[in-house]
Amino acid sequence: VQLVESGGGLVQAGGSLTLSCKISGIILSVFTGDATDWYRQAPGKQRELVATLESGGGTTYDDSVKGRFAVSKDNTRRTVYLQMNALKPEDTARYYCNHRFYRDRWGQGTQVTVSS
């Protein structure tokens, strides 16, 4: 199982980005049967959980991104998305996804840089 994040980039404050997390080698029942989390890590800071897509489709968000970020998935593509709107400079970080069935598997992340 491999996770590949993409979609990051440089954006001005107030802008939007959509991140993708493609999970290859995972069977559908496992992909849909457990939650997927989005984390981020800024330089010099610990990795923090920002959003969760539960197996039943429910979502939870850190207070810092609530109302601005939205997580969704495409089961056919085994891909989880993180739509990020109204970006702020404090959102600058490397973003990672993690599927809870494969807690020890991480991708390389994708860098998001928000300029003021």
Side-chain angles (χ1 to χ4, degrees):
V1 171
Q2 289 188 324
L3 293 85
V4 178
E5 300 92 343
S6 62
L10 173 63
V11 63
Q12 288 188 330
S16 298
L17 285 173
T18 300
L19 306 185
S20 299
C21 168
K22 169 72 174 176
I23 306 177
S24 59
I26 190 170
I27 62 174
L28 181 60
S29 60
V30 173
F31 178 75
T32 59
D34 221 331
T36 302
D37 300 307
W38 279 98
Y39 291 82
R40 67 185 179 188
Q41 187 168 21
K45 294 188 177 181
Q46 288 191 332
R47 190 170 295 186
E48 62 176 354
L49 177 65
V50 294
T52 296
L53 179 60
E54 302 289 351
S55 59
T59 55
T60 57
Y61 302 94
D62 184 79
D63 286 345
S64 65
V65 306
K66 201 171 293 183
R68 301 188 297 120
F69 289 13
V71 61
S72 62
K73 66 179 178 180
D74 182 330
N75 290 336
T76 301
R77 298 178 185 273
R78 308 294 198 269
T79 299
V80 180
Y81 303 97
L82 184 66
Q83 173 68 43
M84 306 187 298
N85 301 317
L87 283 161
K88 304 175 180 180
E90 51 263 44
D91 294 319
T92 295
R94 195 159 192 87
Y95 285 72
Y96 302 85
C97 62
N98 183 257
H99 191 278
R100 292 192 187 174
F101 191 84
Y102 295 102
R103 273 299 199 191
D104 61 335
R105 304 293 176 91
W106 294 88
Q108 81 289 348
T110 186
Q111 179 67 35
V112 172
T113 303
V114 185
S115 63
S116 56

